[in-house]
Every structure is written in structure tokens, then in C-alpha cells.
Amino acid sequence: MRENEIERQLAMAAKKMGGMAVKFVSPGLDGVPDRIVLLPGRKIAFVELKAPGKKLRVLQEKRKRQLEALGFPVYVIDGVEQIGGVLDEICAT
């Protein structure tokens, strides 16, 4: 399965929950996660999507650590089967 299909499935699943999975682009700051997930109840998290089995690049790892140090949850999804669990975890925080 391709990364863009996993990304599309995430956006659809967030929408079904009454939320959004907004594409995140930050000019001048490379390595940021692909999506910001916004769910009802002021739930927010960053999500990096990867093709199955692919790993974060070094710069992506750095950005993940930076966001987590600021108190934001950051998830990495490399399969559609992970989407439900990640969204549930975001809701639980």
C-alpha cells in the first residue's frame, strides 16, 4: 500500500469522528509531520505517514522529538490497520 492511500484513509477516519486531518506544510521548516489531526474536545496530535515498513528520516526524528518536548503527541503510521488505534489514543489523551 502506498503512503498517500494511508494518508487518505486517515483523513476519512478523522472526518467520520467529526474531526479533521489537515495537511501540514511549513515552508522553511523541513521534516514536519504530514498531518495535524484535530478531533472534538480540543484533541490535537501530529501524524507522520509512511509507506509500510519505511522509517523516519533523521530530520523527521528530530522534528518529532522537538514537538514532543513541547508537549504535543506525534504518531507514525505505516499501515491502515494502525489508524483506528491512533485516533482512539488521541481521543483518550
Side-chain angles (χ1 to χ4, degrees), residues 32-70:
V32 296
D34 295 311
R35 297 277 174 159
I36 300 174
V37 175
L38 307 166
L39 296 174
R42 300 188 321 170
K43 306 296 182 177
I44 183 172
F46 293 90
V47 178
E48 175 63 35
L49 288 304
K50 290 294 192 188
K54 297 293 182 179
K55 301 295 181 195
L56 295 177
R57 296 185 319 265
V58 173
L59 184 55
Q60 290 174 319
E61 288 278 3
K62 178 182 177 181
R63 295 291 178 237
K64 181 178 184 293
R65 286 191 306 273
Q66 287 176 324
L67 291 167
E68 289 171 336
L70 291 170

Side-chain angles (χ1 to χ4, degrees), residues 5-51:
E5 177 59 23
I6 299 169
E7 193 167 8
R8 189 177 71 75
Q9 293 287 331
L10 172 66
M12 288 178 16
K15 186 175 182 177
K16 284 183 183 177
M17 296 177 73
M20 303 175 351
V22 180
K23 184 74 173 169
F24 182 34
V25 179
S26 181
L29 187 64
D30 293 335
V32 296
D34 295 311
R35 297 277 174 159
I36 300 174
V37 175
L38 307 166
L39 296 174
R42 300 188 321 170
K43 306 296 182 177
I44 183 172
F46 293 90
V47 178
E48 175 63 35
L49 288 304
K50 290 294 192 188

